[in-house]
Amino acid sequence: MAVDERTISEALRTMAARATPADPALLARRAMRSRVRRRRTRWALGLVTAAALTAYGVVQLRPVETKDPTLVGPIPVNPSPMYPTPSPSPTNNGAPALGPLPANDSERFGQVLTCMPHGGTVHNMDGERVLPQHGVPQDFRWLVESADKEGVTRLVGSLKGFVLCTPGVRGVSYPTDAHFTYWGFEPPGDLAFDGVLSVDVYDFQMQSMINPPKGGDPNFRVVAGRVKPEVKRVEAVWKDGSRADAVLGNGFFIIRTRAHPPIVSGDLRTVTAYDGDGRVLAVKGGAKVPSAGAPDDND
């Protein structure tokens, strides 16, 4: 059956005209409700703009390339300012093992990309300033992650260093900035370590919510590092007596547990590695574990 392009165009215009206008002020109040970093404010305003434009029927149009001439016509494009496409977009075809780092299949590489929406790691004080000296997403491998009902935090790493990543959930939360940390906390970074346990980072990851609950944005204590094959269990203990076990995989571990106010950076007491029989292999004190970040990010 032949398609009447003129009829389709008129129908699209009619639908746009009938759209209920949004209240930009109401959308702005919702998007700006909670305390946020400058990054969230910028994305929230982008969300308000996109929502208002869509509600008024203002859409960007682009042609569809097809072999059937009867199907050529304009289609609406729904931009997503909160979740920018990495530029340039790497080919999502996976990557082989990199020394001791595991291979990325296409799914894992896609997860690495969600950790670096700007196409690489970013400056500690400027979430839009990409730092090319730390490498590109193709240099990083998915290592291990810890998930719960509220989200996930994953460890992705290169031969030089790693990124702790709490990706955003569309329509629910914003992604964290991709802050790079050297293995050993000193450039150029070294994956080798003495003993059976290396505790490489203790940090807090905030899931910045679009509509935060009364208690504010949820925060998570995150401990991550490297282990030798004989380590079968890793446990962290905090000064308040709380404990959490790690997820282990690929020679790495990560712990993610909810942090409740007041949040204290020096509250990690110990991290302990056990073998398969429950014997203690190593104990690391929490006082000297660094937080995420690279020294040269402050330049």
Side-chain angles (χ1 to χ4, degrees):
M1 180 178 67
V3 177
D4 189 336
E5 297 182 18
R6 183 174 182 180
T7 300
I8 293 176
S9 298
E10 291 178 354
L12 287 174
R13 286 194 294 271
T14 301
M15 291 171 63
R18 292 178 179 176
T20 302
D23 182 349
L26 176 61
L27 292 174
R29 286 195 300 272
R30 289 178 178 174
M32 302 290 291
R33 182 178 297 167
S34 65
R35 57 170 180 75
V36 256
R37 295 167 289 188
R38 184 161 52 92
R39 171 179 53 85
R40 176 199 268 187
T41 303
R42 183 169 54 252
W43 284 347
L45 291 174
L47 176 61
V48 171
T49 303
L53 290 176
T54 302
Y56 278 101
V58 180
V59 294
Q60 178 185 352
L61 300 179
R62 67 181 180 192
V64 177
E65 295 182 1
T66 175
K67 295 181 179 180
D68 186 350
T70 65
L71 298 181
V72 176
I75 62 170
V77 174
N78 182 21
S80 182
M82 285 196 308
Y83 297 83
T85 300
S87 180
S89 298
T91 303
N92 193 349
N93 57 1
L98 190 62
L101 304 181
N104 279 338
D105 57 19
S106 59
E107 178 182 359
R108 294 303 192 202
F109 184 60
Q111 292 172 345
V112 170
L113 290 180
T114 65
C115 294
M116 303 179 187
H118 292 288
T121 67
V122 299
H123 194 274
N124 283 341
M125 302 300 293
D126 184 352
E128 291 191 350
R129 178 182 167 189
V130 177
L131 301 174
Q133 67 266 31
H134 297 155
V136 295
Q138 292 95 327
D139 298 325
F140 289 79
R141 302 292 183 269
W142 180 96
L143 303 177
V144 67
E145 67 180 37
S146 177
D148 51 46
K149 65 180 181 179
E150 295 181 273
V152 62
T153 296
R154 63 177 58 112
L155 181 70
V156 301
S158 68
L159 294 177
K160 294 171 57 177
F162 62 89
V163 170
L164 276 180
C165 164
T166 299
V169 179
R170 189 176 296 276
V172 176
S173 64
Y174 300 97
T176 55
D177 286 338
H179 293 158
F180 179 86
T181 306
Y182 288 103
W183 297 116
F185 208 66
E186 292 183 1
D190 187 0
L191 271 169
F193 65 99
D194 296 329
V196 298
L197 171 69
S198 175
V199 184
D200 293 298
V201 64
Y202 175 43
D203 205 23
F204 294 91
Q205 294 280 292
M206 182 175 69
Q207 290 189 196
S208 302
M209 312 300 285
I210 294 174
N211 292 299
K214 291 183 178 180
D217 297 309
N219 285 266
F220 296 86
R221 297 185 287 201
V222 179
V223 186
R226 296 162 282 174
V227 292
K228 295 293 175 61
E230 54 265 39
V231 175
K232 304 303 180 184
R233 176 174 168 253
V234 174
E235 180 190 48
V237 179
W238 283 266
K239 291 181 180 179
D240 62 5
S242 59
R243 299 169 177 264
D245 277 358
V247 178
L248 278 71
N250 302 306
F252 301 89
F253 76 88
I254 187 170
I255 298 171
R256 165 186 157 113
T257 182
R258 185 70 182 267
H260 297 281
I263 296 174
V264 181
S265 60
D267 63 343
L268 180 63
R269 178 179 291 169
T270 58
V271 180
T272 305
Y274 301 87
D275 67 11
D277 295 322
R279 291 187 293 262
V280 174
L281 297 179
V283 180
K284 300 287 187 180
K288 296 183 180 180
V289 179
S291 58
D296 55 1
D297 282 5
N298 296 320
D299 297 339

